[in-house]
Amino acid sequence: MEAVEGRALTATPAFGELEQHRRELTAYCYRMLGSPFEAEDAVQDTLLRAWKSIDRFEGRSALRSWLYRIATNVCLDMLGGRERRARPMDLGPSGEPVAENLRELSEVTWIEPTPDPAEATVERETIRLAFVAALQHLPPRQRAVLILREVLHWQASEVAELLDTSVASVNSALQRARATLAETDAGETTEALDDAGRALLERYVSAFERYDIEALTSLIREDAKQSMPPYDLWLRGRDDIFTWWLGPGIGCRGSRVIPAGFANGSPAFGQYKPSADGGYEPWALQVIEVENGAIKELTFFLDTERLFPLFGLPLEFAG
C-alpha cells in the first residue's frame, strides 16, 4: 500500500493533504455503492470525519490507509440493510421489443454511470458497468475485500488491519467473492478506444442521427444488447433492437447526438430527441461498448435531469 510520498506522516496533516485523495476515494466509493452521487456524498463524509478527528491521527500509519478505513466504514454504513443496485439484465431474461414490456420498478435502485477519463486499462476494466454491477452481488464486506485486494492491490494483512479482522478471514472472503463474480459477466473486457474505434463511433453517430438502419446494421453486432434504465426491459440481438427503434422507439428518429466523454471506461453521448414544441429535448445518456470493431452493448440512461449535468451536457439544446 502506498503511503503519502511513500511514508507515514509524522505531523498533523493539513486539509489539503486529505483533499488530494478525493479522486481515488471517489472511485473506490463508486465501486462500493454503484452511484456517483452517493460516492461523492460518501467522500464528503469521509473527509469531514477525517478532519474532525485529525488531532487523533498520530502518523503511525499512512494517511491514505487511514482515509480508506474511514471511507470503508462510511460505505458499509450506507449499504446496511439496503437492496443492491442492479442493471436490467440482472433481473431476468431479455424481453420482446414491445411497448407493453416497458415497466418502471419502484423497488429497484439502478446502477448509475460515472464520468471517467479512461486513463488506464486497469481503471477501465474495474469501472465497467458490468463489473460494478457484479460487485453489487457481493455482501458489502466481501465487496470491500475484493476491491482492496484485486483492484487496489492491497496486501491481505493491510486489508485485515483496515477491517479489524484476520488475514485468514480476508483470504476466505476474497475466495468467496471471486467465486460469485465468476458466475457473472464481470470477466468481459472493454477495448481501449483507438483510431478505428473512434471512426466507428463517428459512423454510428452519423447513422443514428439519420436513422439509417442499413448503415447501423454494419456497426452493431448481431448479438448486441440494449437496456434503458429506469425501465427493466432489455433487448438481446440486433434484430430486436431495430424492431424497438422502428416501433416503440420511433420517436428517436431525427435525434441529435453529441459526445460526452467517457462513462465507466466506455464512450458516452448525449442524445436529444425532437420535441413536439420544436427543437430538441434531452432524452438519454448513451453509453456505447465496443468490441472487435463493432458495438456490443448500448445503454440508454434516461435520467437526464441528474446525469446530463454530471457529464457536462446542457439540459436545453436548440440543434
Side-chain angles (χ1 to χ4, degrees):
M1 185 194 315
E2 296 176 4
V4 177
E5 300 298 330
R7 59 178 173 80
L9 297 181
T10 56
T12 302
F15 189 79
E17 291 175 287
L18 304 180
E19 183 69 28
Q20 69 181 349
H21 295 275
R22 175 181 291 273
R23 184 179 180 279
E24 64 172 302
L25 288 171
T26 301
Y28 172 64
C29 292
Y30 173 73
R31 294 182 180 97
M32 286 288 293
L33 301 169
S35 164
F37 306 102
E38 290 189 356
E40 181 62 29
D41 289 344
V43 172
Q44 284 291 108
D45 193 3
T46 295
L47 296 179
L48 182 60
R49 291 189 191 187
W51 183 244
K52 285 182 175 179
S53 59
I54 200 71
D55 58 330
R56 296 197 296 274
F57 177 72
E58 300 175 352
R60 289 179 296 185
S61 63
L63 177 63
R64 181 173 181 256
S65 308
W66 185 58
L67 289 174
Y68 269 92
R69 175 190 287 268
I70 298 172
T72 300
N73 288 331
V74 169
C75 289
L76 293 177
D77 288 344
M78 292 175 69
L79 290 167
R82 193 184 75 181
E83 292 295 324
R84 66 179 176 88
R85 287 183 175 269
R87 300 183 75 200
M89 47 279 292
D90 294 330
L91 304 181
S94 59
E96 293 296 317
V98 295
E100 291 76 15
N101 285 337
L102 205 61
R103 298 177 297 269
E104 287 192 62
L105 303 180
S106 59
E107 68 274 18
V108 175
T109 306
W110 302 103
I111 295 286
E112 296 175 321
T114 187
D116 165 40
E119 293 173 344
T121 300
V122 64
E123 181 74 9
R124 283 197 307 274
E125 293 310 312
T126 63
I127 208 75
R128 288 182 309 108
L129 288 168
F131 183 80
V132 174
L135 289 175
Q136 310 310 302
H137 288 267
L138 304 176
R141 286 177 68 87
Q142 276 188 34
R143 197 180 309 174
V145 167
L146 186 129
I147 297 168
L148 291 167
R149 291 283 286 119
E150 301 280 82
V151 178
L152 301 178
H153 307 298
W154 286 34
Q155 298 297 317
S157 58
E158 296 168 328
V159 178
E161 181 180 356
L162 182 146
L163 294 174
D164 291 322
T165 189
S166 66
V167 170
S169 294
V170 167
N171 289 335
S172 177
L174 180 59
Q175 185 176 12
R176 294 195 302 274
R178 285 171 173 167
T180 300
L181 259 62
E183 299 174 357
T184 73
D185 63 356
E188 294 182 2
T189 60
T190 297
E191 296 177 355
L193 197 62
D194 56 12
D195 289 343
R198 283 184 283 271
L200 167 71
L201 291 169
E202 288 176 4
R203 295 196 301 275
Y204 165 77
V205 168
S206 175
F208 189 89
E209 290 186 334
R210 301 193 316 272
Y211 234 57
D212 184 340
I213 298 301
E214 183 177 351
L216 288 163
T217 299
S218 67
L219 304 175
I220 299 175
R221 279 188 358 187
E222 187 176 358
D223 62 348
K225 295 184 289 188
Q226 174 184 313
S227 59
M228 300 164 283
Y231 297 109
D232 67 329
L233 173 66
W234 66 281
L235 306 172
R236 182 190 295 276
R238 187 175 58 209
D239 289 346
D240 277 1
I241 291 172
F242 288 162
T243 297
W244 180 269
W245 289 7
L246 294 173
I250 195 64
C252 289
R253 186 195 296 271
S255 290
R256 297 295 303 275
V257 179
I258 63 176
F262 288 83
N264 297 77
S266 295
F269 299 88
Q271 178 192 343
Y272 299 79
K273 76 171 187 177
S275 171
D277 301 326
Y280 299 86
E281 60 182 283
W283 182 248
L285 180 78
Q286 296 189 16
V287 180
I288 311 295
E289 296 190 35
V290 175
E291 183 178 74
N292 296 328
I295 293 170
K296 71 172 183 176
E297 187 168 337
L298 306 101
T299 307
F300 293 74
F301 290 97
L302 303 183
D303 190 359
T304 56
E305 186 173 347
R306 275 165 60 84
L307 295 176
F308 271 30
L310 186 66
F311 284 83
L313 292 165
L315 290 174
E316 296 183 359
F317 186 71

